């Protein structure tokens, strides 16, 4: 590949990545620091919580900033024909690639059972402190909604659900009350909204879902009773090929970008 071809390829690739990074960073800022974006998304999908959107916003800001930085270095290095910037770009991609390889190796060495045990431990930690840390609550709600599950091993994990949360619940006498006006004892033996079955973009029936006096045979029509550990294991097992192909595709793109930057750097000698 000649100098001109390598430069065009590298600039084109990094301009696309730069635009994607700016989009992610801007979206993250809107979610994290404005109420408009959150209100729109929560209106479109009532099952999404504010803490979930906040966590997504932080992740988008961090990921967007990293993509912008790496893409900017690569683009500027190609345009200005700076050997130093091209070298820095190569190193950044190399660390990314090594990180992916390390994660893959650890996954194989650690084993499937270790993976499941870690998930169970982490989810249990979040469940015990449910409602006390917004970021943890966001993770738990997202997992339970995405995998359509409840708790680590099932709805019984919430028997020790202590913290008072600002949401409407149903006590055994089927009376709807606000969480800020009742003692925490009403939360024993119940579960958060994210455990409830959703239809489209809203919950099927929150009142029936939170009515703990109903028999389990009836509750299964309104609550996801399967544990999240098992559901995550099923998801990974069912989508292992897709995950592997996606990871391999990203690695190939990184390798091509690294080779192109090396080719251009060599042409500049």
């Amino acid at each position: 590949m000649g100098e001109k071809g390598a430069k065009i390829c590298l600039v084109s690739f990094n301009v696309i990545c730069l635009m994607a990074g700016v989009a992610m960073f801007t979206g993250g800022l809107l979610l994290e620091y404005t109420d408009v974006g959150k209100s729109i998304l929560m209106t479109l999908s009532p099952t999404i919580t504010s803490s979930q959107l906040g966590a997504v916003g932080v992740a988008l800001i961090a990921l967007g900033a990293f993509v912008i930085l790496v893409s900017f270095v690569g683009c500027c290095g190609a345009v200005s024909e700076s050997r130093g910037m091209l070298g820095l770009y190569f190193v950044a991609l190399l660390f990314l690639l090594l990180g992916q390889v390390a994660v893959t190796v650890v996954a194989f060495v650690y084993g499937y059972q270790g993976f499941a045990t870690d998930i169970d431990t982490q989810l249990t930690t979040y469940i015990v402190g449910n409602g006390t840390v917004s970021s943890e609550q966001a993770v738990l709600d997202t997992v339970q909604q995405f995998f359509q599950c409840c708790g680590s091993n099932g709805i019984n994990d919430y028997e020790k659900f202590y913290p008072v949360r600002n949401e409407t619940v149903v006590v055994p006498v089927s009376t709807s009350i606000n969480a800020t006006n009742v003692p925490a004892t009403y939360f024993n033996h119940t579960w958060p909204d994210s455990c409830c079955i959703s239809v489209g973009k809203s919950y099927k029936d929150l009142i029936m879902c939170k009515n703990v006096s109903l028999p389990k045979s009836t509750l299964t029509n309104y609550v996801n009773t399967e544990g999240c550990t098992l559901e995550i294991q099923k998801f990974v097992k069912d989508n292992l090929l897709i995950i592997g192909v996606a990871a391999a595709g990203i690695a190939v793109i990184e390798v091509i970008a690294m080779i192109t930057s090396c080719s251009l750097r060599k042409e500049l000698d």
Side-chain angles (χ1 to χ4, degrees):
M1 184 184 293
E3 179 182 336
K4 187 176 180 180
K7 184 184 292 187
I8 292 174
C9 287
L10 204 57
V11 171
S12 300
F13 172 72
N14 282 286
V15 165
I16 294 172
C17 290
L18 187 62
M19 290 189 293
V22 170
M24 286 188 289
F25 188 78
T26 303
L29 288 177
L30 290 174
L31 282 177
E32 184 66 16
Y33 298 108
T34 66
D35 293 327
V36 178
K38 288 183 179 180
S39 299
I40 292 173
L41 290 175
M42 290 176 74
T43 300
L44 292 174
S45 183
T47 59
I48 297 177
T49 64
S50 179
S51 57
Q52 282 177 286
L53 291 178
V56 171
V58 172
L60 284 175
I61 290 172
L63 183 59
F66 180 77
V67 171
I68 289 172
L69 179 62
V70 175
S71 301
F72 180 78
V73 171
C75 199
C76 287
V79 172
S80 64
E81 299 184 349
S82 169
R83 288 171 52 81
M85 293 188 79
L86 287 172
L88 184 61
Y89 177 70
F90 176 87
V91 171
L93 290 180
L94 179 62
F95 273 109
L96 269 178
L97 187 61
L98 291 176
Q100 290 171 229
V101 172
V103 169
T104 304
V105 171
V106 169
F108 275 109
V109 172
Y110 199 47
Y112 195 66
Q113 189 56 46
F115 170 70
T117 302
D118 263 3
I119 292 175
D120 182 54
T121 301
Q122 196 60 54
L123 286 176
T124 301
T125 301
Y126 289 169
I127 290 165
V128 171
N130 194 24
T132 58
V133 182
S134 60
S135 59
E136 292 183 0
Q137 184 61 49
V139 172
L140 187 59
D141 284 340
T142 301
V143 168
Q144 291 182 154
Q145 288 171 349
F146 182 82
F147 293 102
Q148 297 180 359
C149 55
C150 187
S152 177
N153 299 295
I155 57 177
N156 292 334
D157 286 346
Y158 283 99
E159 289 181 352
K160 294 181 180 180
F161 181 52
Y162 298 115
V164 174
R165 295 177 61 195
N166 189 21
E167 67 178 8
T168 300
V169 297
V170 177
V171 294
V173 293
S174 302
T175 304
S176 182
I177 50 181
N178 189 278
T180 57
N181 302 322
V182 297
T185 51
Y186 279 118
F187 287 85
N188 289 332
H189 309 289
T190 190
W191 37 84
D193 292 355
S194 54
C195 281
C196 301
I197 293 174
S198 58
V199 179
K201 297 178 180 179
S202 60
Y203 291 113
K204 184 177 180 180
D205 192 324
L206 273 180
I207 294 178
M208 295 294 283
C209 170
K210 304 300 280 287
N211 190 343
V212 295
S213 64
L214 293 174
K216 189 174 181 180
S217 57
T218 303
L219 275 175
T220 53
N221 295 319
Y222 305 99
V223 187
N224 295 307
T225 56
E226 290 292 334
C228 292
T229 299
L230 181 61
E231 291 302 311
I232 293 173
Q233 285 178 285
K234 288 180 182 177
F235 178 84
V236 172
K237 192 173 182 179
D238 293 342
N239 297 276
L240 197 57
L241 180 60
I242 297 174
I243 294 171
V245 170
I250 294 172
V252 168
I253 292 173
E254 290 171 351
V255 170
I256 292 173
M258 289 167 65
I259 292 173
T260 306
S261 65
C262 282
S263 175
L264 180 56
R265 196 169 185 271
K266 186 176 180 180
E267 293 289 339
L268 296 175
D269 286 339

